[in-house]
Amino acid sequence: MRIRLSRLLIALLAVGVAAPASAQASIGEARRAAGQAYRRSMSEARELYQGRRGPEQADTFSRKVRVGRDGRVSISNISGTITVAVASGDEVSIDAVKRSRGDRGQLSRVNIIVEEHPGRVDVRTEYGRPPFPDRLFRDDYVSVDYTVVVPAGVSLDVSSVSGHIKVDGVRGSIRFGSVSGNITSSNTPKVEYLRTVSGEVALANISQDGSLSISSVSGNIDLTDVRARALDLNTVSGEIRLRDAAVERLTSKGLAGNFEYTGTLARNGRYEVNSHSGSVRFAIADSPGFELNAGSFSGAVRSDFRMTVGGDGTRDIRPRRGPRSESLRASFGDGSALLNVRTFSGSISILRK
Amino acid sequence: MTVNRPDGSAGDLVARCQAGDVDAFAELYQHHAGRIFALTSRMSGSPDAGEDLLQEVFLQAHRKIRGFKGDSTIGTWLYRLAINHCLDFVRSRQARMDKVTNSIDDDMTPPAAGRDTPIERIDLERAIRQLPAGCRAAFVLHDVEGYEHREIAEMLGIAEGTSKSQVFKARLKLRAVLA
Amino acid sequence: MTPAHPEGVTLDDYVDDALTATERAAVEAHLAECADCRELVADLRGVLAAVSTLEPVQPPRTSWTRIEQTIRRGSAERRTPRWPWLAAAAALILATFTGLKLAGVWQQRPASGLTALAPATDAQAVEAELLQAEQHYQNAISGLERIASAEKGSLDPQTASTLEKNLAVVDQAIGESRAALKSQPGSEPAQQSLLENFKTKIALLQDTVALINEMRKGNDASASRLVTGLKQKGT
């Protein structure tokens, strides 16, 4: 197994681009670099090994726990799917399937822990420490797929590292977390927090009187039928798409992904959207009025609504030809809602739906 | 220091606010925040939401004060902004509740309701906040702020008869607390 | 014969003086003979009396502070366009130090003046101050970057690759903002974008380091719980 030094250097460079040019390689750094190269080559070995896996082994697990109609449920997994559905009653029923492509010994090293408390149940997957060298291959070798049925009124805390999460019908407050697992939910009005690195996020039927905060690094964020008093979105390269949206207070920070809001503006709402190169697009049904503060270094600004700029008569806002650095302050109607949009190169469009 | 007339329309103060004087705006806040906060916290049913609405109102006021032409007193102008924000709050919350069918907490009093065992000093403010959302808005607008049922019906988007029955319902609940 | 009890809302109207003379007479006739309704009317009057004692409610002190901050930020933008990014740079540097302390990387502050950022009067001075802010930023993140690059092996390759790619995306954005600022030092969008991108990079590095730390402990379950509970973005 050759150490791929070039790949290693590229990796280091990519991270260190903005570091001071005077950084010298020290012995310590060389040692760290070597360690990283070793781990890389081990993970390559694992990838090869996995191609030669054996037949699937499986183990099932089943438990019912009483929590009450508005109890709290938490589920924490590493690899494998989590599916949550609702049923009447006050019981939580947990069904899980452990799967492994190695020997049965692997299965027994993974434990499903269910902790019961009055009004609360915590479910999690635990990996016992395997012996070396298996330790390096431990991760997605054994997966656990959960199917959990809960009373509709419970509040839920679900997290997974790489497995996908799917929730439908839970009406209590919900918090989601994943590293790379996708997160999908529907008929879940009270989602309040979601955080992922690269998982794809698709939430539907949100009706949040409080606030909903969603953060991803590269995962796209797709919300459909979302009503919220406050919505906070944060991503580096994910796309943000809000459809059938009625949000009163919105803050969105993106960098490379596009932002799109289709829906209505609340009469006295406030919308702050920041982007670097991603475009920002509002497609709104008629509105009693809004004030637009749009600023961009090189992105074009346009509006389907005839706007009043600085107290003069109304005019069209269309992209201007030639070099432009836009900084626009205009209003439409009674100017009651506020749109603050800032981009670097992304275009800014306020369209009529 | 300007002389502020009791009806709240200190002409000089407003002019200073319009010129961008933040300290003048702070004075304006001092004069009117109490009344506005009372309205927003009672209408929304929570001091937290009330505080939030208070800030929204004054931020918007700051943004729009240059458009204030003196048709009314500055106090009335602020108050109207506040009423608008409160109505938006109430209406969008109602819209969200309507959307969520079989909502488990349809007419549920807020979590604090458990504490309304009769106490020596009656906390009327708290009792009002604990009213069910539906009748609370109508009650505050009618009995506290003095609007007519006809006006309330328009503001809340309900029938006049509904406004009357909501106010009655609220009075009955408060009667139980004050007894 | 006792007339039927008036409806609740009618008694309400009575108490509110909103009945016609005939209606009022009818209600009063009933009240003369009905103790229950008399009691209800008395109670309704009691509610109104109590309500009339309501007064304005003083909001918490913090309410004004937040309004003031937002307003001052806004006014400053209009009066002296260069001020907000300097204030933002100072805030950014502070946030970075806090973030580094949390990550256990950097225990002490650098010597040079955090607080001494005065509003610039010309383009050169602006650039000089920007350079200073950049240097603070560079020192701050290089510690985080060292950890992130050295320990990335603790993360699974796909996640490590995602984070690296996104750091590169942010670096590219920083490069674009820098170039823009060079060509137009007075451009507010360029200044703001540079600072926003700095903030994004630091936040991404902090999150990467935090994730690595959790993975290193060998417990993947707590990594995902970490993702659920982590709310480090201070701003």
Side-chain angles (χ1 to χ4, degrees), chain B residues 19-170:
Chain B
D21 183 347
V22 182
D23 293 322
F25 197 75
E27 253 183 78
L28 191 70
Y29 176 87
Q30 296 308 325
H31 291 310
H32 299 283
R35 169 120 199 262
I36 306 280
F37 182 63
L39 173 69
T40 59
S41 53
R42 287 168 197 156
M43 283 283 274
S44 66
S46 101
D48 284 341
E51 192 182 339
D52 200 55
L53 283 165
L54 172 73
Q55 285 165 1
E56 288 299 305
V57 170
F58 274 91
L59 284 175
Q60 191 184 52
H62 183 259
R63 205 162 35 93
K64 302 183 97 185
I65 194 155
R66 246 160 295 165
F68 173 72
K69 303 218 185 342
D71 309 337
S72 65
T73 63
I74 190 71
T76 307
W77 182 78
L78 283 169
Y79 179 80
R80 281 203 204 112
L81 285 185
I83 284 279
N84 277 343
H85 279 263
C86 289
L87 290 178
D88 287 344
F89 179 90
V90 168
R91 288 196 291 236
S92 54
R93 171 171 281 183
Q94 190 57 47
R96 284 190 291 261
M97 284 214 335
D98 289 343
K99 261 236 147 193
V100 182
T101 49
N102 346 305
S103 173
I104 45 164
D105 52 0
D106 223 312
D107 203 28
M108 197 171 83
T109 43
R115 280 186 281 128
D116 66 356
T117 46
I119 40 176
E120 287 314 312
R121 270 186 55 228
I122 299 149
D123 190 356
L124 181 58
E125 292 283 359
R126 189 192 302 166
I128 292 174
R129 287 201 300 264
Q130 286 174 358
L131 289 171
C135 62
R136 182 178 61 230
F139 171 77
V140 171
L141 289 170
H142 187 268
D143 283 359
V144 181
E145 302 296 328
Y147 286 94
E148 309 266 333
H149 286 296
R150 181 187 36 85
E151 297 171 305
I152 295 170
E154 205 183 307
M155 288 158 103
L156 295 179
I158 57 180
E160 196 174 325
T162 312
S163 174
K164 287 192 178 185
S165 56
Q166 296 283 44
V167 172
F168 180 60
K169 186 171 157 192

